[in-house]
Amino acid sequence: MLAVSNLSAGYGSFQALFGVSLEVRAGESVAVLGPNGAGKTTLLRAISKLIDASAGEITMEGARLNEVPAHEVIGRGIAHVPENRRLFPRLTVEENLRMGAFSSRKKFPERLKFVYGLFPRMEERCGQLAGTLSGGEQQMCAIARALMSGPKLLLLDEPSAGLAPVVVQSIFALVKRICAEGFTVLIVEQNVQQVLKVVDRAYLLETGRIKSSGDAAALAASSELKRAYLGL
Amino acid sequence: MKPLAWIGVAALAAVPLTGIGNYPLHLIIMCLLWAYVYTSWSIMGRLGLVSLGHGAFLGIGAYTVVMLWNHYGFSPWLGAPLAVLLSLAAALLIGLPCFRFRIVGHYFALVTLALSEVTRLVIVALRDHTGGSLGATPNTALAQGNTWSLDALQFSDKRVWFYVILAFWLAGLWIWARLDRSMTRLALDAITHEEDAAASVGINVTRSKLFVTLVSAGMTSVGGVLYAQYQLYINPETVSGIGISLQMVFGAIAGGMFVMLGPTVGAVFTLLLQEGLRLALGDAFKQFPALDLAIYGLMLVLFIIYMPKGILGAALEWRARRRATPAAAPG
């Protein structure tokens, strides 16, 4: 479904990604793991066109994404849940969800029903300003907002960041349910143990390069992972 | 609320029929005109696009229509649309690069500040055609005892202007309210806080910003046309440049740019302040010509610190709190 080949990207003169290639097949859930500063967020920002790639190619269902402007990426079926949620704080939860369906407004009522079914907590909080939600609820709201566009591929950027351990558990349970609903998921995480229980496959990203990849279970047992994180 | 609003408008529309004097009527007209202009400004300002350059659009509106009439004999009916087009072009010139290259916040304000000064300087520099800093007067079409000329859009009867400007003020409020309830407002609110996330949900950031900028600039230039045709005298200082631009910002913020009637309250407040300062300071103005600007600047700082929601915004909030208190604590 999504194919990234030899992607390089960065900010100004600073290069963060060096020839990264990866693939996400339909129905799959894939993780990109790596320590701080490995380029995980940059990778997702490049896929959703918030930054331009300096080299390489990104294709979604065979169609090249490189020249597509950021606001049209969602029309290709890719929804991005950004790092630190990035909700619209002065809008209510429901208005945030309405914005999530900005590109397909006619489907708003039916999608809202679907999303409220998935997140009953969001329905309880529908009139509350998004900026006043708790951290876990904000993460839920951010995921719900992304689902409102009816995406084929969901990009999740560190959904567990800054949340209490108990809440992290519930967020990963939620990610698992979203995968089970048939969404294809590309998730970027530092919380290796948890995320490997949720995804099918994973890539290991280190200083902007893919160091290894494989089945979640195999990677969990591999020494590469320990080396990347612990320097062993 | 709705019937109350209609009663208010009807009462306002009945004012000229009470045989009110020319000077109070003039003050009311100026209030409505500036209320319209401040409302136009706040359409952008409330969505995080703080422009210090709306004097440019006001100036383009006023000067285009008068210059076309004086030099080419173009009726304001033709001049006004051209003036609006010209100011839209100026808005595009400044907006497109700013929004494309993500110049936001203070930097955007600085760029717009430059636009308004450039407009003023251009008007002054073209003094052979524009009259320079002495200003310009539209050639009168009211000779031979005519009291009005529809073709030249000149009316000596202030009551006519009262109704014309009342209509524009109402139209301005209507546009404000339409926009307030629209998806565009939500989208721009989203952009103001999280530009990347807004783009990710499919909002075309550049186009949304450009849209409100064009609406606001076009409305402001119509304000310039009305000003010129009503006052029949324009001057680069009073219709463009930093002074008038700052006055618009001040008026909208002082009244409350997040509520519909905020800029209108701001216009009343500014006018009272102006007249009050004139009475209180008298000759001091002649010695220190920028004194009023200094006072606006100081008050703007005070408002932003102590009353960021403006007079009307703060008043509505206070009322909402007072209503909420007894409900929250029953018995």
Side-chain angles (χ1 to χ4, degrees), chain B residues 124-273:
Chain B
V124 174
L126 295 174
R127 58 177 63 80
D128 291 343
H129 310 282
T130 59
S133 46
L134 293 176
T137 304
N139 295 339
T140 183
L142 302 184
Q144 297 124 23
N146 276 346
T147 58
W148 59 278
S149 159
L150 197 58
D151 182 47
L153 216 63
Q154 295 179 6
F155 310 101
S156 61
D157 191 341
K158 279 191 167 33
R159 284 174 299 184
V160 177
W161 280 112
F162 172 85
Y163 287 110
V164 170
I165 290 171
L166 179 71
F168 274 95
W169 173 67
L170 288 172
L173 292 181
W174 181 78
I175 294 175
W176 197 100
R178 259 307 289 272
L179 221 53
D180 185 51
R181 283 194 299 268
S182 74
M183 204 66 179
T184 310
R185 203 268 298 171
L186 285 181
L188 274 150
D189 228 338
I191 290 170
T192 310
H193 289 98
E194 293 295 345
E195 193 160 320
D196 278 346
S200 284
V201 298
I203 298 167
N204 187 336
V205 174
T206 305
R207 202 171 59 187
S208 307
K209 284 184 171 179
L210 216 47
F211 173 71
V212 284
T213 305
L214 291 179
V215 169
S216 175
M219 285 170 68
T220 307
S221 70
V222 171
V225 172
L226 293 174
Y227 181 91
Q229 294 301 125
Y230 171 62
Q231 292 282 57
L232 292 178
Y233 170 70
I234 52 175
N235 175 305
E237 295 291 338
T238 55
V239 296
S240 78
I242 170 72
I244 198 70
S245 301
L246 191 66
Q247 188 194 312
M248 281 185 228
V249 180
F250 172 72
I253 290 179
M257 61 174 161
F258 300 106
V259 280
M260 185 172 74
L261 287 173
T264 302
V265 170
V268 176
F269 178 73
T270 313
L271 203 85
L272 291 176
L273 192 68

Side-chain angles (χ1 to χ4, degrees), chain A residues 45 71 74 86-87 90 99, chain B residues 189 194 196 200 202-204:
Chain A
R45 287 172 63 85
H71 64 269
I74 205 158
R86 303 285 173 206
L87 292 175
R90 268 218 319 241
M99 297 317 293
Chain B
D189 228 338
E194 293 295 345
D196 278 346
S200 284
I203 298 167
N204 187 336

Side-chain angles (χ1 to χ4, degrees), chain B:
Chain B
M1 202 58 209
K2 201 95 194 191
L4 209 65
W6 283 115
I7 292 169
V9 170
L12 198 56
V15 165
L17 309 176
T18 60
I20 188 172
N22 260 344
Y23 177 65
L25 189 61
H26 169 73
L27 285 186
I28 296 172
I29 292 173
M30 288 316 272
C31 261
L32 288 173
L33 179 58
W34 287 119
Y36 166 76
V37 172
Y38 298 170
T39 303
S40 311
W41 182 89
S42 75
I43 280 177
M44 265 175 93
R46 66 184 298 229
L47 294 166
L49 296 167
V50 174
S51 158
L52 298 180
H54 266 45
F57 309 127
L58 199 73
I60 289 172
Y63 268 89
T64 307
V65 96
V66 172
M67 291 303 112
L68 286 176
W69 169 250
N70 281 1
H71 296 306
Y72 303 101
F74 281 16
S75 157
W77 290 100
L78 188 65
L82 286 174
V84 171
L85 278 181
L86 209 58
S87 71
L88 292 183
L92 209 59
L93 187 74
I94 206 99
L96 199 57
C98 273
F99 303 151
R100 181 69 53 85
F101 296 115
R102 297 198 169 191
I103 294 169
V104 295
H106 309 311
Y107 300 101
F108 177 72
L110 284 177
V111 173
T112 56
L113 180 64
L115 178 71
S116 79
E117 272 304 281
V118 166
T119 309
R120 186 183 67 85
L121 290 171
V122 166
I123 294 170
V124 174
L126 295 174
R127 58 177 63 80
D128 291 343
H129 310 282
T130 59
S133 46
L134 293 176
T137 304
N139 295 339
T140 183
L142 302 184
Q144 297 124 23
N146 276 346
T147 58
W148 59 278
S149 159
L150 197 58
D151 182 47
L153 216 63
Q154 295 179 6
F155 310 101
S156 61
D157 191 341
K158 279 191 167 33
R159 284 174 299 184
V160 177
W161 280 112
F162 172 85
Y163 287 110
V164 170
I165 290 171
L166 179 71
F168 274 95
W169 173 67
L170 288 172
L173 292 181
W174 181 78
I175 294 175
W176 197 100
R178 259 307 289 272
L179 221 53
D180 185 51
R181 283 194 299 268
S182 74
M183 204 66 179
T184 310
R185 203 268 298 171
L186 285 181
L188 274 150
D189 228 338
I191 290 170
T192 310
H193 289 98
E194 293 295 345
E195 193 160 320
D196 278 346
S200 284
V201 298
I203 298 167
N204 187 336
V205 174
T206 305
R207 202 171 59 187
S208 307
K209 284 184 171 179
L210 216 47
F211 173 71
V212 284
T213 305
L214 291 179
V215 169
S216 175
M219 285 170 68
T220 307
S221 70
V222 171
V225 172
L226 293 174
Y227 181 91
Q229 294 301 125
Y230 171 62
Q231 292 282 57
L232 292 178
Y233 170 70
I234 52 175
N235 175 305
E237 295 291 338
T238 55
V239 296
S240 78
I242 170 72
I244 198 70
S245 301
L246 191 66
Q247 188 194 312
M248 281 185 228
V249 180
F250 172 72
I253 290 179
M257 61 174 161
F258 300 106
V259 280
M260 185 172 74
L261 287 173
T264 302
V265 170
V268 176
F269 178 73
T270 313
L271 203 85
L272 291 176
L273 192 68
Q274 261 173 358
E275 298 293 301
L277 283 177
R278 201 175 5 237
L279 289 177
L281 297 173
D283 285 343
F285 267 123
K286 287 183 191 125
Q287 281 159 356
F288 308 103
L291 191 61
D292 53 340
L293 268 186
I295 293 171
Y296 284 150
L298 182 68
M299 292 198 65
L300 186 59
V301 172
L302 292 177
F303 263 106
I304 289 172
I305 296 174
Y306 294 108
M307 215 192 253
K309 289 187 176 167
I311 298 168
L312 189 64
L316 289 175
E317 206 171 51
W318 179 75
R319 196 183 66 171
R321 239 198 331 263
R322 248 180 52 133
R323 275 191 186 168
T325 319

